[in-house]
Amino acid sequence: MLPCVYQLQPVLALLFFALFTQGENCPATCLCPDPHTVDCSGRGLTYLPDEIPLDVRRLLLANNWIPRIPSDFLVLYSDLVYLDLRNNSLSHIEPGTLSTSSRLVFLDLGCNNLTEIPKGTFGESRSLIKLRLGNNPHLSMVNEDAFMGLTSLRELELERNALSGLQVGALSQLPSLRVVRLEGNPWVCNCNFANLFTWLVENSHKLPNGIEGMECSLPTDGRRVPLSQLSQDSFRECQITLTLTDFLIIIFSGISVSVAAIMASFFLASTVHCFQRWSKDSNDSDKH
């Protein structure tokens, strides 16, 4: 019996060590169900907890009151692959904050107070596969280069925000995109929406409910209409609509032509006047 016990001593010691050290570095207000998961969901936190293990892979911070993420917070967590920050009080993400997480695969920033997604927010997180940005009621602007470098991104959620328009370049530069959610936004069917409408029609298979699940407001009376009732002909007038830049170019060209005509007329009049005086002086000289 004793030899068997002696043989099991290393295994028992390792098991005891694992049980004893599990959760040793776990933040006091959180749970750590396994050595690489920290669950701080629903703890009423107003700031990010201290003493998060450096080798954490899944960090769950949903349903708190966290207002910001320090720009250097993720520098040390190079193994982080799953970050859940939904339903907090985040109003903005500083550019570069998330770029240090080279292995991040899942990021949830839904149900916050974000107002815009500027360029460089995600800093070319090439491993990111799923990004949730939905249910931010004040999110009204997404930069055309906001998702630049996210070459592995397959699922993008932007539903139920405050977007009235979106530049197509923000979506067309995502080569791996398979699913995109855009429903529930206050889209406006003006000429700025024309290119996005074309993209949505051509990529309707990427929308969970197709374009049938989306609506937009008519710029004339604000009436909401399903995108399925629109067509390319609905935006025909946009093809001949002049932009402010076009008007400025036309005005500047007109002014330039007018100035050139005035100068040419002045030069011609001066030439004729000089010629007439020269002819008169020559006639007077001949008489004398």
Side-chain angles (χ1 to χ4, degrees):
M1 184 71 179
L2 289 178
C4 293
V5 173
Y6 290 140
Q7 291 177 1
L8 291 174
Q9 275 185 342
V11 177
L12 294 174
L14 182 62
L15 180 61
F16 175 79
F17 178 79
L19 293 175
F20 180 77
T21 58
Q22 184 175 0
E24 182 179 7
N25 297 324
C26 191
T29 57
C30 306
L31 298 175
C32 297
D34 62 69
H36 298 292
T37 299
V38 176
D39 186 356
C40 305
S41 302
R43 300 289 173 170
L45 300 177
T46 56
Y47 57 87
L48 293 171
D50 299 325
E51 300 179 356
I52 296 177
L54 298 180
D55 59 349
V56 63
R57 295 178 184 172
R58 299 179 76 248
L59 182 56
L60 312 178
L61 295 164
N63 304 319
N64 287 296
W65 301 96
I66 300 172
R68 63 182 294 269
I69 305 175
S71 58
D72 59 348
F73 174 70
L74 297 177
V75 171
L76 298 176
Y77 303 108
S78 58
D79 292 334
L80 191 65
V81 297
Y82 190 104
L83 178 57
D84 186 357
L85 280 161
R86 73 182 185 278
N87 198 25
N88 275 278
S89 301
L90 299 173
S91 59
H92 73 284
I93 304 294
E94 296 182 19
T97 300
L98 303 169
S99 61
T100 54
S101 298
S102 58
R103 298 184 181 180
L104 194 64
V105 172
F106 176 93
L107 176 61
D108 194 341
L109 296 172
C111 300
N112 277 280
N113 296 319
L114 299 177
T115 58
E116 64 174 327
I117 308 297
K119 177 181 179 179
T121 299
F122 306 104
E124 299 191 5
S125 301
R126 300 185 183 278
S127 61
L128 194 62
I129 293 178
K130 187 166 186 174
L131 176 59
R132 288 181 169 175
L133 295 168
N135 295 286
N136 280 275
H138 307 294
L139 180 55
S140 59
M141 198 282 289
V142 174
N143 186 276
E144 184 175 11
D145 295 324
F147 309 126
M148 179 181 292
L150 304 185
T151 54
S152 300
L153 191 66
R154 296 183 181 179
E155 297 185 34
L156 174 62
E157 297 183 2
L158 285 167
E159 78 282 3
R160 290 184 287 278
N161 292 317
L163 297 173
S164 59
L166 179 66
Q167 297 187 64
V168 174
L171 302 175
S172 60
Q173 61 182 317
L174 298 173
S176 302
L177 190 63
R178 298 293 180 269
V179 178
V180 58
R181 295 191 60 184
L182 296 168
E183 71 277 6
N185 282 284
W187 304 111
V188 178
C189 298
N190 54 20
C191 291
N192 294 328
F193 187 76
N195 290 334
L196 180 60
F197 177 77
T198 300
W199 188 93
L200 292 173
V201 172
E202 295 175 350
N203 296 272
S204 60
H205 58 282
K206 298 179 180 179
L207 305 173
N209 299 314
I211 62 173
E212 288 77 11
M214 296 181 61
E215 296 180 336
C216 65
S217 299
L218 298 178
T220 52
D221 56 10
R223 182 166 51 91
R224 302 286 293 177
V225 296
L227 295 192
S228 56
Q229 295 182 8
L230 302 178
S231 66
Q232 297 294 342
D233 290 338
S234 304
F235 301 93
R236 184 185 304 171
E237 295 181 358
C238 297
Q239 298 176 2
I240 59 175
T241 300
L242 298 178
T243 64
L244 177 61
T245 303
D246 296 328
F247 280 116
L248 292 176
I249 292 175
I250 292 173
I251 293 172
F252 179 77
S253 300
I255 293 174
S256 300
V257 171
S258 299
V259 171
I262 292 172
M263 293 181 64
S265 300
F266 178 78
F267 177 76
L268 181 60
S270 300
T271 303
V272 171
H273 180 70
C274 292
F275 179 76
Q276 289 176 344
R277 291 193 59 182
W278 178 78
S279 298
K280 182 178 180 181
D281 291 342
S282 297
N283 292 334
D284 292 341
S285 299
D286 290 340
K287 290 179 182 180
H288 293 292

